[in-house]
Amino acid sequence: MIENRPTLNALTHVTLVIGIVIVIFPIYIAFVASTHEARDILMTVQGWFGTNFIENYSTVLEKGKASTGSISVALMMWNSLVMALGIVVGKISISILSAYAIVYFRFPFRMFFFWMIFVTLMLPVEVRILPTYEVVANLGLLNTYPGLVLPLIASATATFLFRQFFLTIPDELAEAARVDGAGPFRFFFDILLPLSRTNIAALFVILFIYGWNQYLWPLLVTTEQNMTTIVMGIQAMLYVPDDINEWNITMATAILAMLPPVLIIIVMQRQFVKGLVETEK
Amino acid sequence: MATVTIKDAVKTYPGNVQALHGISIEIEDGELIVMVGPSGCGKSTMLRMVAGLETVTSGDIHINGEWVNKKEPADRDIAMVFQNYALYPHMSVYQNMAYGLKNRKIPKDEIEQRVQDTAKILELEEFLKRKPKELSGGQRQRVAMGRAIVREPKVFLFDEPLSNLDAKLRVQMRLEIKRLQDRLGVTTIYVTHDQVEAMTLGHRLLLMNEGRVEQIGTPLEVYEKPQTLFVAGFIGSPSMNLIPVRLDPSGNQVILGESLPLPLNNFENIVNGDSSVTLGMRPEHLEACETENALMFLQVELLEKLGADTVVYGSLDQTDTALTVRLSGIHPVDTGDRLPVTITPEHLHIFDSDTGNRLN
């Protein structure tokens, strides 16, 4: 808007600031809590930073919390990272390939397959969790990374997104590539993939967060403590039966759990926005 | 360098929609054929069948004597320029031009050489590193042509390559294409709906309508002796006056409307059963004349003064038959005038009103 109305300007800013404060405040409290000693924050909320920042975070990263079996948070983060990246890479490669097949190849029951994929949009992981567990258990994949990743990598949403994107690519481009002697593989790798770069980036961010935040599935499929993911870890830390809860440790873990998704967004922000809004090809 | 032979090419789309009803033409080596016709006449389909982008329902296509119906586009040794250029948006101009060569496993230094040479021909040297979106429409068009030329194919296929350009650029690129084709001498099939492009570029034209060939001939043949009513109305601007008339049995006049005789007399040989025919007169062949020499009189209704020409729209005296006359230069005529006009008999075209075929 080109309007110049000071009151309106002020109002907009106030609204935005309120919004930011609402979002930031819990994170601030968590971060402040993670820099204190356990007893300082047991019964009260601290408003300013304590002095135990380095100590708390090194404890967390190296030793974890005694009540959860002393699994280091570094290992939990590693587990989460492997799972999240596995899900991202798996989902993107499978969905881009199936979208490619559905858009560019004529084969019998093409639309049937498309609708089948589409229909699975209606089935979240939770609905099919028991049969999936059975399958994974029978395959001997409990407590393994493939067991964590595989059942989550089929993605109707991503397939649909890529399909819609491919449909916006003019047919002539595919035809020009055919005339230029590019077969299906070359066309895919030389033309389609580079053109999908921004879409892939956007999906990467969304799916990474999706993968990182997985809770129910890792909880079911892992029983060994060294396969704990960080989201499971935080939850486990909240439950302390007969002891003083070390909130500083829990909060530090929570802050650490937040870091990778934030980093991913910061790094890929530009591509991410482009991928979501770009229409000009 | 190659000939292209199309024999009885038929294209039927699923649902029994027949797009082409048997197209045949023999294209000579180095010839530039323009396929022209209104939208939906099947000209692009025909071109795409030659390119291998559409399957051939029946009929045969030979390139340089080789039957190519079942061949992949890449194996036909053709290059195509698309209407929207279809440049690869993420590749630089150089990569765009080199891509086809790269896929053919041509050595790198030869690719470099050929791209540079082509860029020089098309004056694209300074743009080689740019992406297509940093180029203007005309430059993109040249890159698209460069991508075709660099391959040194047997046949060039152009699918309405100029229709995305503005009028001035279109004229310029038209000349450039003409010059280039003359210079390279590559057999070319050029599809357009623009009759000026067709007339200026083609060695021969193939006029199509509703999936059928209406006429094949040099631009002047098509202009001077249109074989069908469709061709007569399509070629020429403003388009030919087509007036339903009756042929007088004596053979030396035609009767317009109820009873307006036009004493025209080179129709001796015309035999037509019911004697109802269509008379065609090009606006530019009708001339203003003295009243006593007039064949007919035009009631002037509208004028377009273009400077080089004056286009007069009106109706024939005492009838409501519309008639357009194009007078050269600036002509002192005004709305409401009664303009005496005449035409020399060789410029008359007579068509059978039912079949649309030329009779004289």
Side-chain angles (χ1 to χ4, degrees):
Chain A
M1 279 198 277
I2 326 165
E3 293 170 44
N4 185 17
R5 280 191 275 173
T7 14
L8 192 73
N9 264 343
L11 194 68
T12 338
H13 279 91
V14 168
T15 317
L16 287 174
V17 167
I18 291 174
I20 291 168
V21 167
I22 291 173
V23 175
I24 292 284
F25 186 68
I27 299 173
Y28 171 76
I29 291 298
F31 187 54
V32 166
S34 73
T35 59
H36 282 275
E37 276 182 63
R39 58 187 161 85
D40 289 346
I41 51 165
L42 193 57
M43 304 299 284
T44 171
V45 171
Q46 294 288 343
W48 195 244
F49 300 101
T51 50
N52 285 31
F53 175 79
I54 295 174
E55 195 188 324
N56 287 347
Y57 278 84
S58 52
T59 315
V60 163
L61 283 174
E62 283 160 23
K63 291 194 292 236
K65 201 176 174 190
S67 63
T68 54
S70 295
I71 300 298
S72 81
V73 171
L75 178 64
M76 292 185 193
M77 288 179 82
W78 172 250
N79 289 339
S80 281
L81 187 72
V82 171
M83 179 177 73
L85 286 180
I87 290 173
V88 170
V89 172
K91 262 184 194 281
I92 290 179
S93 17
I94 287 190
S95 52
I96 201 169
L97 284 173
S98 31
Y100 180 45
I102 281 170
V103 175
Y104 285 97
F105 293 87
R106 302 280 164 273
F107 52 90
F109 305 115
R110 193 168 60 99
M111 284 320 278
F112 171 76
F113 284 116
F114 171 68
W115 284 109
M116 255 175 66
I117 293 173
F118 198 65
V119 161
T120 60
L121 264 178
M122 289 184 263
L123 299 174
V125 178
E126 289 75 11
V127 174
R128 52 182 168 89
I129 206 155
L130 285 177
T132 312
Y133 181 83
E134 175 81 12
V135 171
V136 170
N138 287 342
L139 288 172
L141 292 176
L142 296 179
N143 288 313
T144 61
Y145 289 129
L148 277 173
V149 170
L150 277 181
L152 298 175
I153 62 172
S155 172
T157 326
T159 310
F160 190 67
L161 209 125
F162 279 121
R163 174 184 178 262
Q164 295 310 97
F165 169 65
F166 290 165
L167 289 178
T168 67
I169 294 179
D171 290 341
E172 282 87 350
L173 219 53
E175 288 169 354
R178 273 181 78 190
V179 173
D180 267 342
F185 281 99
R186 275 186 176 279
F187 175 64
F188 181 74
F189 286 108
D190 290 349
I191 291 161
L192 226 40
L193 214 51
L195 287 180
S196 316
R197 213 184 60 232
T198 50
N199 285 57
I200 293 176
L203 271 176
F204 187 94
V205 172
I206 295 168
L207 296 177
F208 183 85
I209 293 168
Y210 165 85
W212 185 264
N213 289 339
Q214 279 303 313
Y215 173 62
L216 189 58
W217 180 250
L219 196 63
L220 268 178
V221 86
T222 63
T223 47
E224 280 170 28
Q225 286 195 316
N226 60 7
M227 288 301 291
T228 310
T229 64
I230 192 155
V231 180
M232 289 162 70
I234 295 174
Q235 212 285 330
M237 283 177 189
L238 296 178
Y239 180 68
V240 185
D242 295 319
D243 204 351
I244 296 171
N245 198 346
E246 294 170 288
W247 280 106
N248 52 345
I249 301 295
T250 314
M251 290 305 177
T253 313
I255 293 290
L256 285 174
M258 246 182 298
L259 277 184
V262 171
L263 276 180
I264 293 271
I265 289 190
I266 290 173
V267 170
M268 304 193 70
Q269 188 236 22
R270 181 175 292 185
Q271 296 275 333
F272 173 68
V273 175
K274 246 177 148 183
L276 290 186
V277 301
E278 193 172 65
T279 47
E280 184 231 1
K281 291 293 159 214
Chain B
M1 308 296 114
T3 59
V4 177
T5 312
I6 301 167
K7 199 158 178 347
D8 301 325
V10 171
K11 177 73 190 178
T12 311
Y13 283 110
N16 227 4
V17 184
Q18 197 160 2
L20 296 178
H21 303 262
I23 307 286
S24 299
I25 184 172
E26 300 219 353
I27 303 170
E28 286 162 30
D29 187 11
E31 194 176 21
L32 198 163
I33 286 281
V34 178
M35 291 187 183
V36 59
S39 331
C41 71
K43 56 193 191 297
S44 282
T45 308
M46 189 60 248
L47 188 79
R48 293 163 54 82
M49 279 159 72
V50 176
L53 298 169
E54 299 269 358
T55 53
V56 182
T57 311
S58 75
D60 300 296
I61 298 174
H62 289 86
I63 295 177
N64 222 12
E66 191 182 354
W67 188 70
V68 295
N69 280 30
K70 300 275 179 218
K71 278 199 159 182
E72 270 294 301
D75 304 327
R76 297 186 182 200
D77 208 359
I78 48 120
M80 187 154 170
V81 177
F82 294 86
Q83 181 176 356
N84 62 5
Y85 319 138
L87 300 176
Y88 311 121
H90 57 294
M91 296 185 191
S92 68
V93 169
Y94 182 92
Q95 289 167 318
N96 261 289
M97 283 162 65
Y99 189 62
L101 301 176
K102 214 176 85 191
N103 287 338
R104 281 179 176 70
K105 309 246 176 333
I106 287 167
K108 236 183 171 151
D109 41 337
E110 195 190 331
I111 295 182
E112 169 84 33
Q113 186 61 42
R114 272 161 77 167
V115 172
Q116 292 293 352
D117 289 350
T118 311
K120 196 176 274 176
I121 296 175
L122 292 167
E123 290 161 26
L124 283 170
E125 291 142 301
E126 49 185 312
F127 306 116
L128 281 177
K129 287 203 176 65
R130 294 215 202 156
K131 294 270 172 67
K133 69 173 165 212
E134 296 156 25
L135 300 177
S136 70
Q139 289 161 348
R140 283 182 215 185
Q141 171 59 46
R142 284 218 292 275
V143 177
M145 291 198 332
R147 194 167 65 176
I149 293 168
V150 78
R151 294 248 319 274
E152 298 171 10
K154 284 193 194 124
V155 184
F156 282 146
L157 305 174
F158 288 90
D159 189 2
E160 311 212 13
L162 303 183
S163 47
N164 282 1
L165 300 177
D166 65 51
K168 197 176 162 202
L169 211 51
R170 205 176 302 163
V171 175
Q172 192 187 327
M173 290 305 295
R174 198 170 74 205
L175 287 170
E176 222 161 297
I177 291 179
K178 178 101 181 139
R179 208 172 293 142
L180 212 64
Q181 206 273 342
D182 281 347
R183 178 171 160 186
L184 301 171
V186 177
T187 314
T188 304
I189 305 178
Y190 187 106
V191 161
T192 179
H193 62 264
D194 182 317
Q195 50 155 317
V196 183
E197 264 172 49
M199 297 295 280
T200 49
L201 278 175
H203 295 145
R204 277 194 298 160
L205 310 187
L206 183 145
L207 278 112
M208 287 176 71
N209 187 33
E210 294 178 348
R212 288 188 174 81
V213 176
E214 293 279 343
Q215 186 170 356
I216 298 174
T218 64
L220 287 184
E221 273 169 26
V222 170
Y223 177 82
E224 284 172 347
K225 283 214 178 320
Q227 290 304 309
T228 65
L229 266 177
F230 170 80
V231 177
F234 189 80
I235 295 291
S237 173
S239 56
M240 191 187 276
N241 296 296
L242 293 168
I243 304 163
V245 293
R246 272 178 300 124
L247 211 54
D248 191 80
S250 69
N252 50 28
Q253 65 177 11
V254 295
I255 297 151
L256 208 159
E258 283 303 305
S259 57
L260 182 69
L262 296 181
L264 307 169
N265 56 8
N266 69 339
F267 307 137
E268 287 80 10
N269 305 324
I270 296 171
V271 188
N272 199 41
D274 59 2
S275 73
S276 81
V277 295
T278 299
L279 174 68
M281 296 178 285
R282 293 207 180 272
E284 57 270 35
H285 291 150
L286 287 159
E287 300 161 55
C289 61
E290 300 299 321
T291 312
E292 56 267 29
N293 300 333
L295 268 176
M296 49 204 142
F297 292 91
L298 180 66
Q299 203 65 45
V300 180
E301 285 162 7
L302 200 70
L303 287 166
E304 282 178 354
K305 297 181 178 172
L306 303 173
D309 302 301
T310 305
V311 183
V312 186
Y313 298 91
S315 53
L316 275 177
D317 213 14
Q318 294 156 20
T319 69
D320 41 13
T321 306
L323 196 73
T324 309
V325 178
R326 188 163 129 193
L327 305 167
S328 62
I330 298 160
H331 216 268
V333 61
D334 223 330
T335 319
D337 284 359
R338 191 161 173 270
L339 182 73
V341 289
T342 186
I343 188 167
T344 48
E346 21 329 339
H347 286 141
L348 293 169
H349 310 268
I350 300 285
F351 302 94
D352 187 312
S353 296
D354 300 324
T355 63
N357 290 332
R358 185 184 185 88
L359 295 172
N360 66 325

